């Protein structure tokens, strides 16, 4: 889970990157970074924390050049240290390289070892550094062939925004797990993980980078190469369910509408005659609207969110997570007292936040609390960039729905079926990765990973 951004050629490249990263803040709150290039040397600023904490006017003015690459990070590989922040930058014989990566490489460990055997010295534990070393070690002379060669070594998920000297590069893995879109602003090209960025900076959306496509953006032209064309793709369905912003179009379709449709399907599969439908804000909001509209039950924002706190799961340690669960949402008691309530949530991962929320709703006076989840039970970890815990920690991998119902403390608990979920999607089902619900991974996992995490 990360957000990537790039722009070239624009005289305010750093400032616009900062705005772009603001719009992508939900994709990672641990660190933010921008690397710019003025044709001679790079300018780098990376820090831990929110975009607003990492940059100010003075820092942005010091990032010179008309080419910029930006990144917001939530670590799926590598620990949270300043050293592991992105974009990764290195000067090599291939040129000045900077890389912002969204996704997860499943063969990073093997590549790391092979490169070390050849003498590569690694500074971080990030996948992105592996990509930089591959570019630096490429046997090819031509820069486009160099990039094609380097990316052809990778397995897994990558949406990349890179700089190689005065070329801005955008690339997606052949299955297209993570989104990446292309836009235009004042004659400059813009790359961003989500289209909401283009709205915010006033850019025009042009198109998505295709799965397996690499684009090379120069001062005055774009070259596009499509290395590997697959019959079907592996778009991450969880981008629609939870991760992307509802005002974005992901894989060319709007997220809000897809999420609302999930709620409508949930209402068709598991209707209930209740007094009120409420979301767990913000993750369950769109689905709750869909659910309430189909059943004609009043929709209420019966919990108010403190907007100054990030997503609870983004805090790595359990202690902080528990604290944040409590301070984040406060119930509106008159909406709940003596009511039969349906709570709509997008998903259950560990179950701990949901349990805490239900307790609060009951304390606020609800007579009955029923929970509806707008996707099927999550039973397998993600190896392509969503930070799900290991199988042991995924509550639905170890327990029955009845057990989870009792643990969370609701009167009833229903999950949307797999068929319902796929029917709600704007993209045909063959093009999704649904491994977190099925355990069927579209890119085969190395044996070591499977043993460690899947058992
Ligand atoms: P819980 O009840 O503790 O499983 O928390 C459920 C909430 O966490 C839902 O809003 C989920 O969408 C959200 N969530 C989504 N992705 C993750 C993740 N990768 N790790 C933890 N929680 C997540």
């Amino acid at each position: 889970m990360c957000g990537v951004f790039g722009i070239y050629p624009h005289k305010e490249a750093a400032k616009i990157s900062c705005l772009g990263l603001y719009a992508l803040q939900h994709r990672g709150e641990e660190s933010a970074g921008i690397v710019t290039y003025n044709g001679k040397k790079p300018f780098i600023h990376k820090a831990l924390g929110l975009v607003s904490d990492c940059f100010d006017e003075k820092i942005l003015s010091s990032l010179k050049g008309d080419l910029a690459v930006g990144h917001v990070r939530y670590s799926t590989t590598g620990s949270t240290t300043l050293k592991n922040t992105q974009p990764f930058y290195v000067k090599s014989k291939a040129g000045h390289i900077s890389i912002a990566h969204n996704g997860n490489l499943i063969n990073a460990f093997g590549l790391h070892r092979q490169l070390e055997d050849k003498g590569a010295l690694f500074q971080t534990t990030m996948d992105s550094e592996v990509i930089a070393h591959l570019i630096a070690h490429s046997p090819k002379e031509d820069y486009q062939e160099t990039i094609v060669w380097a990316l052809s070594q990778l397995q897994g998920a990558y949406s990349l925004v890179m700089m190689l000297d005065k070329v801005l590069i955008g690339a997606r893995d052949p299955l297209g797990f993570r989104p990446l879109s292309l836009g235009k602003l004042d004659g400059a090209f813009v790359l961003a993980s989500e289209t909401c960025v283009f709205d915010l900076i006033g850019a025009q959306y042009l198109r998505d980078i295709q799965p397996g496509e690499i684009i090379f953006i120069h001062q005055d032209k774009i070259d596009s190469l499509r290395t590997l064309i697959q019959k079907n793709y592996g778009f991450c369905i969880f981008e629609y369910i939870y991760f992307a912003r509802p005002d974005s179009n992901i894989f060319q379709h709007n997220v809000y509408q897809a999420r609302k449709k999930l709620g409508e399907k949930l209402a068709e599969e598991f209707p209930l005659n209740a007094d009120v439908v409420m979301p767990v804000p913000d993750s369950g909001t769109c689905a709750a609207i869909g659910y309430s509209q189909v059943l004609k039950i009043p929709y209420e924002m019966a919990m108010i969110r403190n907007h100054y706190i990030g997503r609870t799961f983004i805090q790595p340690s359990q202690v902080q997570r528990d604290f944040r669960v409590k301070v984040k949402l406060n119930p509106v008691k008159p909406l709940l007292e003596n009511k039969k309530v349906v709570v709509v949530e997008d998903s259950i991962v560990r179950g701990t936040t949901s349990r805490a929320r239900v307790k609060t709703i009951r304390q606020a006076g609800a007579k009955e609390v029923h929970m509806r989840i707008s996707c099927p039970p999550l039973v397998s970890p993600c190896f392509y960039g969503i930070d799900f815990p290991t199988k042991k920690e995924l509550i639905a991998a170890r327990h029955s729905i009845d057990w989870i119902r009792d643990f969370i403390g609701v009167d009833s608990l229903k999950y949307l079926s797999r068929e319902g979920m796929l029917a709600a999607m704007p993209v045909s089902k063959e093009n999704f990765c649904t491994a977190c619900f099925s355990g069927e991974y579209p890119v085969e996992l190395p044996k070591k990973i499977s043993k460690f995490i899947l058992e």
Side-chain angles (χ1 to χ4, degrees):
M1 298 185 294
C2 288
V4 292
F5 182 89
I7 185 162
Y8 181 60
H10 199 289
K11 59 181 188 316
E12 293 200 293
K15 286 187 182 160
I16 292 171
S17 300
C18 184
L19 294 182
L21 296 182
Y22 261 120
L24 295 174
Q25 186 75 85
H26 61 290
R27 297 185 72 89
E29 301 180 358
E30 276 184 11
S31 70
I34 297 174
V35 174
T36 60
Y37 184 60
N38 69 352
K40 292 191 193 97
K41 59 178 199 154
F43 299 83
I44 304 169
H45 182 79
K46 300 190 281 183
L48 297 177
L50 298 175
V51 176
S52 54
D53 301 326
C54 297
F55 296 98
D56 61 22
E57 193 71 35
K58 197 164 150 223
I59 293 168
L60 290 171
S61 305
S62 72
L63 300 173
K64 302 198 188 314
D66 59 357
L67 188 156
V69 173
H71 190 265
V72 284
R73 174 166 200 256
Y74 178 66
S75 65
T76 47
T77 62
S79 52
T80 314
T81 60
L82 193 55
K83 221 169 64 177
N84 277 345
T85 53
Q86 291 193 39
F88 182 77
Y89 168 81
V90 71
K91 166 91 174 76
S92 79
K93 77 171 186 342
H96 294 271
I97 304 169
S98 185
I99 299 180
H101 175 205
N102 174 206
N104 225 18
L105 303 180
I106 56 168
N107 64 338
F109 185 71
L111 289 171
H112 193 119
R113 274 239 293 260
Q114 285 168 23
L115 286 157
E116 268 185 341
D117 288 346
K118 286 190 194 142
L121 299 172
F122 279 83
Q123 302 165 27
T124 74
T125 53
M126 290 184 299
D127 287 5
S128 357
E129 189 176 358
V130 172
I131 303 171
H133 279 287
L134 286 169
I135 296 172
H137 281 81
S138 164
K140 308 286 181 188
E141 289 295 324
D142 172 75
Y143 75 96
Q144 293 196 359
E145 284 177 22
T146 294
I147 298 292
V148 172
W149 180 87
L151 300 193
S152 68
Q153 314 294 309
L154 309 179
Q155 284 169 17
Y158 53 88
S159 277
L160 297 167
V161 173
M162 303 188 283
M163 157 195 124
L164 180 55
D165 287 335
K166 274 252 144 168
V167 186
L168 177 67
I169 302 165
R172 258 173 103 192
D173 65 75
L175 290 178
F177 285 99
R178 306 269 144 239
L180 186 64
S181 300
L182 177 70
K184 198 150 195 200
L185 172 72
D186 308 331
F189 286 100
V190 184
L191 290 164
S193 291
E194 292 188 27
T195 61
C196 65
V197 168
F198 302 141
D199 302 336
L200 186 91
I201 64 173
Q204 177 201 355
Y205 165 81
L206 294 178
R207 65 177 180 87
D208 281 6
I209 306 304
Q210 299 301 306
E213 183 183 5
I214 309 173
I215 64 162
F216 299 88
I217 300 172
H218 304 87
Q219 185 95 32
D220 50 0
K221 66 164 182 135
I222 290 191
D223 293 330
S224 160
L225 293 176
R226 195 126 183 240
T227 47
L228 201 57
I229 300 178
Q230 300 277 13
K231 204 164 124 242
N232 296 314
Y233 303 132
F235 300 155
C236 170
I237 202 159
F238 213 65
E239 292 273 355
Y240 277 123
I241 293 166
Y242 169 76
F243 200 45
R245 253 172 66 153
D247 50 339
S248 286
N249 284 356
I250 292 292
F251 316 130
Q252 296 175 55
H253 296 274
N254 176 253
V255 174
Y256 182 106
Q257 287 171 318
R259 239 168 243 177
K260 190 171 162 199
K261 198 91 199 218
L262 288 167
E264 290 168 6
K265 288 275 166 211
L266 195 54
E268 284 165 22
E269 289 187 5
F270 300 107
L272 194 77
N273 190 8
D275 299 316
V276 59
V277 172
M278 63 171 286
V280 176
D282 294 330
S283 49
T285 303
C286 306
I289 292 171
Y291 190 89
S292 86
Q293 285 182 359
V294 167
L295 297 177
K296 302 197 172 31
I297 304 171
Y299 167 88
E300 299 285 3
M301 286 295 287
M303 275 200 196
I304 301 302
R305 180 171 168 192
N306 180 337
H307 281 276
Y308 305 97
I309 299 167
R311 291 182 175 196
T312 45
F313 75 89
I314 288 189
Q315 298 308 310
S317 93
Q318 185 67 38
V319 179
Q320 286 181 46
R321 189 160 36 229
D322 289 347
F323 170 73
R324 292 209 159 205
V325 164
K326 288 185 211 134
V327 297
K328 191 172 157 185
L329 292 172
N330 198 31
V332 185
K333 287 199 183 111
L335 298 177
L336 295 168
E337 270 162 356
N338 250 336
K339 297 274 167 55
K340 183 174 174 184
V341 181
V342 185
V343 183
V344 179
E345 173 63 305
D346 69 292
S347 58
I348 297 177
V349 181
R350 293 178 177 84
T352 45
T353 14
S354 303
R355 180 185 163 104
R357 301 261 184 270
V358 169
K359 199 168 150 201
T360 320
I361 294 167
R362 286 205 190 274
Q363 282 166 349
K367 187 173 66 183
E368 284 179 40
V369 184
H370 301 266
M371 201 162 206
R372 299 289 179 267
I373 308 297
S374 66
C375 70
L378 285 166
V379 293
S380 274
C382 177
F383 297 96
Y384 313 121
I386 298 274
D387 180 51
F388 286 141
T390 57
K391 198 155 182 141
K392 270 196 202 91
E393 291 170 275
L394 285 173
I395 193 168
R398 295 171 72 82
H399 299 288
S400 69
I401 295 178
D402 286 351
W403 191 95
I404 302 169
R405 178 199 61 209
D406 295 343
F407 174 78
I408 289 176
V410 283
D411 297 285
S412 75
L413 170 67
K414 302 288 179 195
Y415 288 80
L416 182 62
S417 69
R418 182 185 165 80
E419 296 67 40
M421 171 181 72
L422 291 168
M425 288 294 116
V427 178
S428 62
K429 61 178 187 217
E430 308 75 43
N431 289 315
F432 279 115
C433 170
T434 55
C436 50
F437 303 114
S438 65
E440 286 162 24
Y441 294 93
V443 177
E444 205 187 326
L445 303 172
K447 286 210 173 61
K448 252 197 172 147
I449 300 189
S450 321
K451 196 166 161 41
F452 179 64
I453 305 187
L454 290 180
E455 282 177 1

